[in-house]
């Protein structure tokens, strides 16, 4: 009987992001993020320098939120603030979702 080779469960490349630093760019908007496990990464958003800041922030957040949901099963949210005149910082927090009551369940009485 042939044996199947053991496969190791692949660990996510980095932990849940906790902070994003976005710099203003001309042809691209560079950013760096830091994860809870002291890992992180960087990237660029290919948008023109005159793009709306909110659109760039949304593009970065959407990418990180999709990764976090897929790799860690966690929903996140971000709150942006100004770091310097040409950079922004996004503080990321985990979002807990309340599970809806099953159909037909009695409401809680307080």
């Amino acid at each position: 009987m042939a044996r199947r080779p053991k496969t190791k469960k692949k660990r996510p490349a980095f932990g849940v992001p906790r902070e994003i630093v976005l710099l203003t760019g001309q042809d691209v908007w560079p950013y760096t993020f830091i994860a809870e496990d002291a890992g992180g990464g960087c990237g660029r958003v290919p948008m023109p320098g005159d793009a709306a800041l909110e659109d760039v922030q949304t593009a970065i957040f959407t990418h990180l939120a999709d990764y976090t949901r897929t790799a860690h099963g966690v929903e996140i949210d971000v709150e942006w603030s100004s770091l310097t005149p040409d950079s922004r910082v996004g503080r990321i927090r985990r979002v807990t979702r309340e599970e809806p009551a099953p159909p037909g369940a009695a409401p809680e009485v307080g």
Side-chain angles (χ1 to χ4, degrees):
M1 175 184 292
R3 290 187 177 207
R4 261 194 255 180
K6 286 188 178 182
T7 56
K8 289 186 178 181
K9 191 172 186 179
K10 197 167 189 175
R11 203 176 120 178
F14 50 85
V16 176
R18 64 179 168 92
E19 188 174 87
I20 308 167
V21 177
L22 169 64
L23 304 175
T24 304
Q26 290 183 344
D27 295 333
V28 296
W29 293 69
Y31 67 91
T32 302
F33 65 92
I34 301 164
E36 290 177 347
D37 65 354
C42 58
R44 299 178 303 192
V45 179
M47 290 184 156
D50 61 350
L53 182 60
E54 293 80 20
D55 293 341
V56 178
Q57 291 172 340
T58 299
I60 294 168
F61 176 71
T62 301
H63 178 70
L64 288 177
D66 288 345
Y67 168 80
T68 305
R69 185 179 310 110
T70 304
H72 299 286
V74 174
E75 295 291 329
I76 58 173
D77 192 21
V78 67
E79 183 177 324
W80 292 96
S81 61
S82 181
L83 188 59
T84 65
D86 63 344
S87 65
R88 306 278 293 171
V89 64
R91 308 274 186 224
I92 297 175
R93 64 182 177 84
R94 292 177 186 229
V95 176
T96 57
R97 293 188 177 202
E98 292 184 21
E99 293 295 322
E108 290 185 27
V109 178

